[in-house]
Each structure stands twice: as structure tokens, then as C-alpha cells.
Amino acid sequence: MNYTEALSRYVAAFVDELAQHELGNVVISPGSRSTPLAMTFAEHPDVKTWVNMDERSAGFFALGIAKQTNQPVALVCTSGTAAANYYPAVIEAYYSRVPLLVLTADRPHELRDVGAPQAINQLHLYGEYAKWFQELSLPEATDRSLGYIRSIAARAFHVANGKNKGVVHLNFPFREPLVPDFSLPNLWGNQEKAKHLEFHQGQKQLSTPELHKLYEQLKQYKKGLIVCGPMQDNDAQVELLALAEAWQIPILADPLSQLRQGVTNKRVVIDSYDAILKDPNTRKKLEPDFIIRFGAMPVSKPYTLWLKEKPAIDHYVVEEDQGFREPVGHGATVFYTDPAMFCATMLELPKFQFDLNWVKQWQSYNQVAMNILKEHDEEGLNEGHAVVHLAEHIPDNSTLFIGNSMAIRDVDTFWFATNKIIKMLANRGANGIDGVISSALGAATASKRVTLFIGDVSFFHDQNGLLMAKQYGLNLTIVLINNNGGGIFSFLPQAKQQSPHYEALFGTPLDLDLSHVAQLYKGNYANPKTWEAYQEALKESYRRSGLSIIELNTVRTHNAAWHEQKWRKIATHIEEELHVSDGK
């Protein structure tokens, strides 16, 4: 058997085993050394290939597909610094628990550390951010070698897709020649056979003594909260809502919890809790006895401040499998158990008699905040009401991908409960502003209409990603908030110090005509100046296919003052309610 046949059968066995495990998508960045992987993936009938020549964009594009489908996605690149460009997306996948298979081609061992071109040390390149790393053997086609490479593929898929999903990195050394021979008979093996390895994983649950201990603790409380941060588990969300309704306690729902949208009973969902907790006096007077949190920490900074101010609250954190996400630093009880099963089990226990006035108080404050946040003043375009109108016109059964910095915070504040089924996604693992366009376009590959809500600096960081929209005709509406710089810094102390260096270091104005970007990538462009024009631009974008960019120009300083005026008004109205309830 010659080397080309050994190479072809070895790589084909690897690719086919991934397909047997239902790997649906692979994102390929072209290069020479990765030829065996790239061509074999493209040849396999059950795997969809996407070609993205910019590795940094490719990493985030794969991340977006994986977030939308909740299934592993493979990445393929050549040797050298190509693999290093995946690093930001790998870090995001690690922290947001997204399954990626990073497949890096490499020089064979004799060409390493000898000055050969395009050869770097790729072993353990991603450090602790990879759940599992393997340097693979050189290709052979013996039965033992083909069994080995199939077992590697099966294990890699399982590790990436297990509880607390994450990144697996496999490094493939290849010698030349690199082009496989697809004319070989029975290249994929017996298509009727079962998977080479198959894995089944059960759900963690608390023991009966642990449940009884928790029940006895909860019985002594009167005022409780359920807090739900970013999560994608639909079963858990249904059970969470049922538990909060049964207990009649508020559920503070981050927008990425998916609990603010969908045809469900949301009477106990508090969607304006971030605005309510902005005021220090309000935070001081809201005193829960206990909090049970599901998912990652919420986006809301006021919520985090509130926790820091109240170390005596009994705090429970439900984690599906392992890990520790409790940045406040207070004492807490962590339950490693399936969230849906936890809620269902708690529902089977006798009901608690919690203070009904507590949930009514939160519902009242939520209504006050929502009414004020929705009020249209005489000012022009603003970033908050851009979200309100977006919620009105975004298509049902679609996806909203949200940028970081001010974009996610405005969605947190101005996105209210809706019966529309809107899946909300964001790169909140590491909270970076890079790669967001690419991730949104990755999400758009799943045949769902995707809307991206993003700021101008983040948009600038990932313009290369727009090539995928043009290349594959992906449907994406981008609502681009252009306040000519880093708007979030306008809310931070450095903006109030009147430093002569503020604009250069933090404001970072771009002064770019972004309409040219739409033209470059063959997208539709609108720059509305009124709310009516904005709403019409949204409706028009959803009637079209392809890329649409709707740019809203706002002023950073005006925007900060407008937000703060809203928060002051909410605090004043809640203070008045508190005086009435106290009989003052």
C-alpha cells in the first residue's frame, strides 16, 4: 500500500466517524498542509462545508453555528499562525461552554524546530482552554490504525459535546504528498455499520437526604428569588417557570435566559430588574432571604452590586455538571444536578408558604420601570428605543444575536416579555467585542432569520466576517448603533474626569462612513433619521433576503444622559411606592 492510499483511508475513517456521530458542519480555512482534511470533509456526503479564509472570523463563525444548533462544529486550518488566529474563539467557547472540534494540520515531526517554514509549536496550543488535546499519529491504513483514528474521532465528538460542552484540539501531522485519492474502493468503510465507539451519559441528581436538607432550609424563608442567567436548556426553562409560579416568587430573567420570550406564563418574570436595581436606595430596601441561581451570572451589573451589598443572603447555585461560576465571593451552596430535574423534583415536594406581598412588590416595580422605559420623550433617536422597536418588528421564530458592551446592556434594559419565540444569543463567555458579526452569520446558517444588534466599534472589529454573508447569501439584518466610538465608557468614571486623553483612550471615534461597508459586501443599507423611517427599514429588511445594514446615528453624551434620566425617574417612582407601603 502506498502512502497516498494510507493517507486517504486514514483521514476518510476519521471524517466518516465524525459523520456517523452526526457532525453536521465544518468550517475550513484554506491552506496547503490541511489539504487531506479539507478535501475529505468536502467529499463526504453527510457533512456541510463552509469556507472562510480568515481564521479569526472562521473561529467565531463556527462558534455561531454551534451556539445556534447546540451541536459540535469542526474547524480546519493549515499549520503555523493560522491556528493561533482561532484562539479568541476558543477562549469564548471555553467560557460559554460551546462545543468546537479544532483540527489543526501540522508539519511532520522531522520538520519541527529545525527552521522549516510555517512550522510553530502547536502542541497544547490552547492550553487549559481545550478540554482534551491529542497529537495524532502519522497516517497508516492498518486495521489497528484505522480503529485508532475512528476511536479518536468518536471520543473527540463526545468530549466536546458532553456536559459542560467545550473545545477539543486535535493536531494532525501530515507528510507530502497531501492530495487524497477518492477513487479508492470502500473509502468510507461499511456504511451500514454502527459507530466505532458510542457514548451515553446520564443526568446528575441530588440524593434524597440532600433534597430533604434543602427542603428544611427553604421552609424557614419567606422571601425568595430565582435568578436565571444565560442558558439554552429549553427543558430547564419550562420547569423553572413552573417552579417560580408554584412557589409564587419572582424570577429575575436575564435576556439570554430565554425566559422573556415564548408563549408561556410569565407573570412572575421580572424583566426590568436591572433598571430597578440601578438605585442604591432601592437595592438597600429589597431584602430577600434566599436566591437560587441557574445558568451563568446575569449580564446586569446592578444585580452583582446588590449581591455584594448583601452578604447575608443564603445563596444557592445550580450547575448542570461541574465548574464554579460565583464571582461575588460570598458563601454559597452549589448543587451539581440537572436543572430541569432539580425543578421537577422540588415541584413534587409540599408547597412552601412564601410571602405573597414580596412577589407583588416586584411585579409592581417591574410595571413602573417598564412604563417609564417605554415612554417616548421629545428627543431624537436613542439606543434604548432602538431595542423597543426592534422587539416590535423582529420576526417570530427567529434569532437575535447581541453584541457586547452597550448593546447587550440595552437589550437587558429595554427588551420586555413577549409571546414571540426569539432565541437570544451573544458571546458572553469572555464578553469580547471581536468576532460578533462572524458568530451572527454562523447562527444564520441554520435557515433561521437572524438579527444582529451591535455597536460601531464591535462592527469595525469584524468587518471581514461580512464576506460570509456575500459568499453564501446568508440572511442577516444588522441594526448598527453608531455613536462614533465606545459608548459604554460614557457611563464609567473616566468619562466624568474630563481628561484631555479621554477621547483617544476611551471614546475612540472612528469617523468612518460605514455605508461603504454595505456596498463592499453587496448588502442593502439604510440610515434612518426618524423612528418611522427606522421601523420601515426594519420591516423592509425582513422582506428581503441577504444582508441588510440599518445604521442609527446617536450621540454618546446625549445617550448617557438620557439613560440616567430614565433611571432617576424609575428610582423616584419606586421610592414613592415604598413610602406608601411603609405608611409614610
Side-chain angles (χ1 to χ4, degrees):
M1 181 184 298
N2 62 32
Y3 175 75
T4 295
E5 181 174 351
L7 170 73
S8 303
R9 293 195 181 280
Y10 179 88
V11 178
F14 174 79
V15 169
D16 183 65
E17 187 66 26
L18 287 179
Q20 294 276 356
H21 286 264
E22 299 183 357
L23 177 83
N25 294 276
V26 58
V27 181
I28 300 170
S29 295
S32 176
R33 191 62 53 167
S34 54
T35 295
L37 286 167
M39 291 187 67
T40 308
F41 271 117
E43 191 73 16
H44 199 285
D46 298 329
V47 181
K48 171 69 176 174
T49 57
W50 307 87
V51 178
N52 189 328
M53 65 185 68
D54 178 343
E55 285 86 3
R56 187 177 80 157
S57 172
F60 282 103
F61 184 78
L63 188 84
I65 300 175
K67 286 194 175 206
Q68 182 74 286
T69 62
N70 207 29
Q71 288 294 314
V73 175
L75 279 159
V76 171
C77 72
T78 191
S79 63
T81 57
N85 283 297
Y86 287 155
Y87 214 150
V90 166
I91 292 171
E92 173 61 31
Y94 171 83
Y95 283 110
S96 57
R97 300 179 178 178
V98 174
L100 292 181
L101 301 175
V102 181
L103 314 177
T104 55
D106 203 350
R107 265 30 184 184
H109 304 81
E110 67 269 18
L111 292 181
R112 297 180 188 175
D113 200 25
V114 294
Q118 206 171 321
I120 67 171
N121 184 358
Q122 296 178 195
L123 305 186
H124 296 283
L125 182 63
Y126 307 116
E128 65 179 19
Y129 297 114
K131 289 180 71 177
W132 186 47
F133 167 77
Q134 281 290 292
E135 159 85 338
L136 301 186
S137 68
L138 289 161
E140 295 179 0
T142 63
D143 289 344
R144 184 174 179 84
S145 184
L146 295 181
Y148 154 80
I149 198 61
R150 281 189 178 273
S151 69
I152 288 287
R155 185 177 169 189
F157 189 93
H158 169 71
V159 172
N161 202 38
K163 302 292 185 183
N164 287 5
K165 301 172 190 287
V167 178
V168 167
H169 176 204
L170 304 180
N171 195 56
F172 287 79
F174 291 129
R175 290 194 178 112
E176 296 178 340
L178 298 167
V179 179
D181 180 1
F182 296 117
S183 69
L184 294 170
N186 197 29
L187 184 63
W188 307 115
N190 183 357
Q191 294 298 295
E192 301 302 319
K193 69 180 182 310
K195 300 168 185 172
H196 185 76
L197 288 178
E198 192 160 357
F199 298 89
H200 298 278
Q201 186 160 312
Q203 297 171 316
K204 287 187 176 181
Q205 55 183 315
L206 299 180
S207 67
T208 300
E210 289 171 321
L211 284 168
H212 281 296
K213 182 180 178 180
L214 174 60
Y215 182 79
E216 292 302 316
Q217 289 173 332
L218 295 178
K219 272 203 316 188
Q220 61 186 310
Y221 301 131
K222 291 298 180 185
K223 298 177 180 179
L225 284 174
I226 291 175
V227 173
C228 193
M231 61 188 300
Q232 296 295 326
D233 187 344
N234 291 329
D235 291 337
Q237 288 143 10
V238 171
E239 297 290 352
L240 273 165
L241 285 168
L243 184 64
E245 274 287 340
W247 286 359
Q248 281 297 288
I249 64 173
I251 180 166
L252 309 188
D254 184 278
L256 299 174
S257 71
Q258 318 303 324
L259 289 172
R260 298 190 194 180
Q261 45 273 358
V263 186
T264 53
N265 184 349
K266 295 184 280 290
R267 287 176 302 191
V268 293
V269 171
I270 309 300
D271 44 23
S272 293
Y273 72 95
D274 177 80
I276 292 167
L277 295 174
K278 291 281 187 189
D279 178 53
N281 291 326
T282 303
R283 293 200 302 268
K284 189 181 298 183
K285 293 174 181 178
L286 287 170
E287 291 277 357
D289 299 320
F290 74 93
I291 293 174
I292 303 178
R293 196 193 82 223
F294 298 83
M297 274 293 285
V299 170
S300 171
K301 187 174 181 179
Y303 171 73
T304 302
L305 289 172
W306 187 50
L307 285 188
K308 289 179 178 179
E309 293 162 357
K310 298 191 178 296
I313 298 173
D314 286 341
H315 201 192
Y316 304 92
V317 179
V318 178
E319 285 279 8
E320 184 178 18
D321 187 57
Q322 60 183 350
F324 187 76
R325 297 184 291 188
E326 184 41 59
V328 174
H330 295 331
T333 301
V334 181
F335 296 117
Y336 292 114
T337 180
D338 178 77
M341 188 177 293
F342 174 86
C343 293
T345 304
M346 296 307 295
L347 279 167
E348 293 172 358
L349 299 173
K351 287 188 179 180
F352 299 106
Q353 296 298 316
F354 293 128
D355 183 355
L356 289 179
N357 289 325
W358 171 249
V359 68
K360 290 177 182 177
Q361 183 182 23
W362 276 97
Q363 288 169 327
S364 176
Y365 296 168
N366 195 55
Q367 191 63 50
V368 166
M370 184 172 63
N371 290 343
I372 291 170
L373 292 169
K374 283 185 173 181
E375 285 176 356
H376 264 288
D377 306 312
E378 294 301 317
E379 84 297 321
L381 300 178
N382 61 73
E383 298 170 19
H385 285 153
V387 176
V388 173
H389 291 301
L390 174 58
E392 293 170 2
H393 297 286
I394 191 170
D396 197 3
N397 198 31
S398 69
T399 296
L400 176 62
F401 209 102
I402 312 159
N404 283 316
S405 292
M406 275 308 297
I408 186 64
R409 287 166 175 81
D410 275 325
V411 171
D412 193 9
T413 303
F414 291 93
W415 184 278
F416 309 110
T418 175
N419 286 334
K420 289 181 180 178
I421 300 172
I422 307 296
K423 187 173 187 177
M424 288 200 176
L425 300 174
N427 290 342
R428 290 301 294 174
N431 302 357
I433 64 170
D434 49 345
V436 176
I437 291 174
S438 296
S439 291
L441 284 164
T445 62
S447 301
K448 275 194 173 185
R449 168 65 74 163
V450 175
T451 303
L452 171 62
F453 189 74
I454 191 172
D456 56 304
V457 176
S458 187
F459 181 90
F460 169 76
H461 264 266
D462 196 28
Q463 291 178 54
N464 282 2
L466 291 170
L467 183 62
M468 296 299 283
K470 174 179 175 291
Q471 192 168 326
Y472 290 101
L474 299 175
N475 298 323
L476 180 68
T477 293
I478 299 179
V479 177
L480 169 57
I481 304 296
N482 188 353
N483 52 33
N484 200 26
I488 194 168
F489 291 105
S490 302
F491 295 86
L492 300 180
Q494 47 267 55
K496 299 173 173 61
Q497 293 180 355
Q498 298 181 333
S499 165
H501 307 294
Y502 175 81
E503 278 296 284
L505 295 176
F506 304 105
T508 59
L510 298 175
D511 295 315
L512 293 174
D513 183 349
L514 298 177
S515 65
H516 297 305
V517 178
Q519 184 179 4
L520 179 64
Y521 293 104
K522 308 300 183 186
N524 296 290
Y525 175 80
N527 187 207
K529 303 300 183 185
T530 65
W531 288 123
E532 292 75 15
Y534 170 56
Q535 293 179 77
E536 186 54 41
L538 283 170
K539 289 186 281 189
E540 182 62 28
S541 78
Y542 295 130
R543 288 192 285 263
R544 293 194 191 102
S545 59
L547 173 67
S548 292
I549 299 175
I550 303 170
E551 181 182 0
L552 288 185
N553 299 106
T554 62
V555 179
R556 276 184 272 132
T557 52
H558 293 173
N559 180 61
W562 181 83
H563 278 75
E564 288 167 357
Q565 177 266 328
K566 290 282 186 186
W567 297 333
R568 284 195 300 271
K569 191 171 181 180
I570 291 168
T572 299
H573 280 65
I574 289 177
E575 182 68 25
E576 291 172 357
E577 284 209 12
L578 285 168
H579 275 277
V580 170
S581 64
D582 291 342
K584 296 179 181 177

